[in-house]
Amino acid sequence: MSGKILVVEDEREIADLLELYLKNEGYQVVKCYDAESGLAAALAGDIDLALLDVLLPESDGFSLCRRIRERFRFPIIMLTSRAEPLDKITGLSLGADDYVTKPFVPLELMARVKAQLRRFTSYNDRQPEQLLTVGGLILDTVSRRCCLDERLLDLTPTEFDLLRLLCQNRGKVLSSEELFHQIWGSGYFSKSANPIPVHIRHLREKLGDDAEHPRYIKTVWGVGYKIEG
Ligand code: CA
């Protein structure tokens, strides 16, 4: 199996050990000793899986995990020397996929790396449209997160669905009625009580778009809305 693994671990002997085992399994390794360079390496792209130590100088592995998760879906395995179950919950709720307590058994860790990569690859094969990207906007349709210019946006479920539909139909004008039925099913659509414009307005505010010169959601008068890009 091949892949590029990001290792963020400030203890160099452990980082070297991880590198040795990973390379032995045929993986490429990007080694970083602190959270900042770890994030930079993740942003540089091409990473298939990350191993993050929880205790890092100046920052910690959990916030690094959260920052990586704002942009990427590749598997993240946390390494920690603390065995408190609270850590595990925190790590997993921040988007880590697995958790290994130090001192770890290298072969067991390698098995977990392989399992996560296998799971991620087959999952992505089934979900080619999981990530929708328009300009600086990234929507993850599985975790239902939305980032704009690397910032996580706090969208309501309706706002997320609206944005998702517009991104999935990029370049195409969708009427309020179409959007309504996609979101709320076959309920009765009343033009006079159309809820879509209000949600579009809130969405534009969160996107920093103004209605006159929107960067993302364009109004096509008398027809509906669209996103181009
Ligand atoms: Ca450490």
Side-chain angles (χ1 to χ4, degrees):
M1 201 185 245
S2 65
K4 200 194 249 185
I5 316 287
L6 171 65
V7 173
V8 187
E9 164 65 90
D10 59 313
E11 283 160 272
R12 302 199 176 211
E13 305 81 56
I14 296 180
D16 289 346
L17 184 73
L18 287 168
E19 183 182 34
L20 188 75
Y21 275 96
L22 288 165
K23 283 193 167 164
N24 211 19
E25 297 285 337
Y27 300 112
Q28 282 176 270
V29 177
V30 181
K31 227 175 6 171
C32 297
Y33 303 120
D34 59 71
E36 276 311 306
S37 45
L39 184 65
L43 291 174
D46 236 20
I47 299 293
D48 296 295
L49 181 144
L51 289 170
L52 309 180
D53 186 31
V54 168
L55 296 173
L56 293 169
E58 284 158 35
S59 182
D60 65 84
F62 289 139
S63 37
L64 176 59
C65 173
R66 186 173 44 76
R67 291 171 76 187
I68 290 176
R69 261 297 164 266
E70 288 172 3
R71 290 284 302 267
F72 302 102
R73 292 301 305 157
F74 57 72
I76 298 176
I77 301 176
M78 304 298 298
L79 302 175
T80 184
S81 41
R82 295 179 293 180
E84 293 92 329
L86 182 66
D87 276 358
K88 182 164 187 167
I89 293 159
T90 317
L92 296 177
S93 67
L94 286 170
D97 298 279
D98 202 357
Y99 185 91
V100 174
T101 307
K102 291 198 275 186
F104 50 82
V105 179
L107 287 179
E108 190 203 327
L109 180 57
M110 292 307 121
R112 294 208 192 189
V113 166
K114 281 182 209 165
Q116 287 298 332
L117 284 172
R118 246 194 325 268
R119 182 191 60 79
F120 186 65
T121 311
S122 58
Y123 185 69
N124 271 11
D125 287 347
R126 286 204 313 272
Q127 303 272 348
E129 285 279 78
Q130 183 187 342
L131 283 184
L132 301 168
T133 316
V134 176
L137 198 59
I138 301 172
L139 270 79
D140 186 324
T141 59
V142 174
S143 70
R144 294 182 61 89
R145 287 170 199 241
C146 171
C147 287
L148 175 63
D149 300 329
E150 297 176 28
R151 190 167 45 86
L152 190 62
L153 296 185
D154 185 19
L155 302 183
T156 66
T158 303
E159 288 160 2
F160 184 88
D161 284 332
L162 268 176
L163 198 54
R164 175 179 57 79
L165 288 165
L166 290 167
C167 289
Q168 281 171 335
N169 295 282
R170 186 187 312 185
K172 190 180 158 200
V173 184
L174 298 177
S175 68
S176 283
E177 189 165 1
E178 276 175 278
L179 290 166
F180 177 89
H181 289 306
Q182 293 269 4
I183 294 171
W184 288 289
S186 55
Y188 175 68
F189 175 76
S190 148
K191 264 194 175 158
S192 58
N194 175 9
I196 301 293
V198 175
H199 292 293
I200 293 280
R201 182 158 54 77
H202 291 157
L203 201 44
R204 277 182 175 144
E205 279 165 15
K206 292 181 184 178
L207 294 170
D209 250 3
D210 84 80
E212 299 294 309
H213 306 285
R215 183 174 158 207
Y216 289 105
I217 303 175
K218 313 240 156 81
T219 304
V220 182
W221 293 107
V223 190
Y225 305 94
K226 69 170 172 177
I227 271 187
E228 275 172 354

